[in-house]
Amino acid sequence: MNKTAAVIKGDGVGPELVDAMLKVAEAAGTNVEFVPCEAGAAWWEENGGNTLIPDETWEILENSDACFKGPTTTPGGAGSPKSVAVSIRQKYNLYANVRPTKTFPNTNTPLGDVDFICVREGTEGMYIGEEVKLTDDVYIALRKITRPACRSIARYAFEEAKKRGYDTVVPIHKSNILKQTCGTFLEEVENIGKEYPDIDIWEYHIDNIAQQLIKNPQLFNKKVLLSTNLFMDVISEECSALIGSIGLIYSANIGDNYAMFEPAHGSAPKYAGEDKVNPVATILAGAWMLDYLGEKDNANAIFKATEEVISEGKYVTYDMGGSAKLSEMTDAIVSKIK
């Protein structure tokens, strides 16, 4: 029986990027049934309410084997709805947000080649979005850290290291200041680490690793960088610069029974409809979803074709030093697959 994937095209450049991903997946010969659904700021601006995800989309998600989400815009300001990604992560307990960060061939790497994984707890921390107004001048944001979530993300990180043959997990924290929240996170990483005696633990304070990633990023090659929700949100963005463009960073949100795949970048509304932005992150997130749904050969074909196009350098977008359009780079990847 064919697998199904809910597909949210999103906002800004999202629709054209997701169309590119679907075109590449079809060229690879996928048997996955893609079911389109609405979510994001554009839908909300037209329909209103307290959510960016309509009931019809939740129903499609419930009946799908995975979700693909294009970039979506999250409205700002008090009282505006929670982001699409956060809502889906929390609903399905997609506790592991994972970003492979690896240099592509023939690309401009400002600080040398890197190859590591960023693993981010995806369901709690500052991203619960709970804030309290104490007075007209004083506001407090709450950071939720639980032992079960820390254990889940720690185990995922060690299993990922084991699967990839990596020798180290790098927990990133600030337990000298946040003694209970970061302290609990670090305790659980150390406890889980005892079950993996062949994998080292390198602790880093958040401020120190931000410096070390610039000073000596190769120190972390073949390692898993691990942190809580907001800390790793920031650090993984820094890491994306090490491979030259966030347009190359694909990501997954993985739980025990469901997963959502997406490019790591935002919706870039100023480029919407210009056929300009880099499709790689979206295309490779789609390939990763195919792998998750059992189509490993199709996924490998897409990864191989994409790397070949990047390596040749003839059809790459502006952020990679080229002049190709989004559609031209997509067509070049399709040609390599065929």
Side-chain angles (χ1 to χ4, degrees), residues 13-313:
V13 296
E16 55 196 300
L17 286 171
V18 173
D19 284 344
M21 181 277 291
L22 294 172
K23 185 175 185 178
V24 171
E26 288 164 7
T30 183
N31 289 312
V32 172
E33 179 185 358
F34 298 106
V35 184
C37 49
E38 297 280 354
W43 175 86
W44 176 71
E45 287 165 3
E46 184 175 334
N47 295 276
N50 59 1
T51 177
L52 299 181
I53 306 176
D55 291 341
E56 295 82 2
T57 294
W58 284 120
E59 186 175 342
I60 291 171
L61 291 170
E62 287 288 338
N63 292 290
S64 65
D65 297 296
C67 171
F68 189 92
K69 187 190 79 63
T72 50
T73 301
T74 304
S80 57
K82 187 184 299 184
S83 85
V84 174
V86 170
S87 298
I88 295 174
R89 287 172 191 152
Q90 292 178 347
K91 168 77 171 176
Y92 296 106
N93 193 27
L94 307 183
Y95 54 82
N97 177 261
V98 189
R99 293 186 182 185
T101 305
K102 182 180 180 180
T103 304
F104 284 86
N106 194 31
T107 55
N108 178 26
T109 54
L111 299 174
D113 290 351
V114 295
D115 181 7
F116 51 79
I117 302 287
C118 294
V119 173
R120 164 187 172 192
E121 199 291 315
T123 63
E124 51 181 36
M126 296 287 280
Y127 269 74
I128 63 170
E130 295 293 334
E131 297 174 298
V132 178
K133 176 182 176 181
L134 298 184
T135 73
D136 287 341
D137 296 319
V138 180
Y139 301 82
I140 294 176
L142 302 179
R143 184 187 194 218
K144 178 185 176 184
I145 299 292
T146 66
R147 288 192 183 276
C150 291
R151 283 194 290 269
S152 293
I153 198 62
R155 188 172 300 282
Y156 185 93
F158 281 99
E159 284 293 322
E160 190 71 15
K162 180 180 176 181
K163 180 177 75 174
R164 292 175 176 269
Y166 291 3
D167 60 3
T168 306
V169 168
V170 183
I172 301 163
H173 63 99
K174 194 65 176 172
S175 66
N176 58 331
I177 303 300
L178 300 169
K179 299 178 189 294
Q180 294 189 66
T181 51
C182 273
T184 296
F185 165 72
L186 189 58
E187 283 177 15
E188 293 302 329
V189 173
E190 291 171 342
N191 288 338
I192 294 295
K194 294 173 184 175
E195 302 175 26
Y196 299 84
D198 296 332
I199 299 175
D200 292 335
I201 297 174
W202 291 1
E203 295 179 35
Y204 273 85
H205 286 159
I206 176 75
D207 45 347
N208 186 17
I209 201 165
Q211 181 234 153
Q212 293 294 333
L213 283 165
I214 301 302
K215 182 181 178 182
N216 185 16
Q218 287 72 38
L219 181 66
F220 304 103
N221 282 349
K222 304 298 182 182
K223 293 171 175 54
V224 176
L225 275 58
L226 168 67
S227 196
T228 50
N229 208 337
L230 182 59
F231 281 177
M232 186 51 77
D233 185 23
V234 176
I235 289 299
S236 60
E237 291 285 313
E238 181 185 4
C239 292
S240 71
L242 297 174
I243 70 167
S245 173
I246 197 169
L248 298 170
I249 299 285
Y250 53 100
S251 73
N253 304 271
I254 300 171
D256 293 334
N257 303 301
Y258 198 72
M260 174 178 68
F261 299 83
E262 60 180 341
H265 58 74
S267 59
K270 69 179 180 179
Y271 295 132
E274 293 188 7
D275 194 20
K276 180 176 182 178
V277 298
N278 189 339
V280 169
T282 307
I283 288 170
L284 294 186
W288 196 357
M289 183 176 71
L290 297 188
D291 190 353
Y292 174 82
L293 294 174
E295 295 190 357
K296 185 171 289 292
D297 289 345
N298 289 337
N300 288 341
I302 294 170
F303 271 95
K304 183 174 183 289
T306 303
E307 289 188 4
E308 286 179 2
V309 169
I310 293 171
S311 182
E312 290 174 0

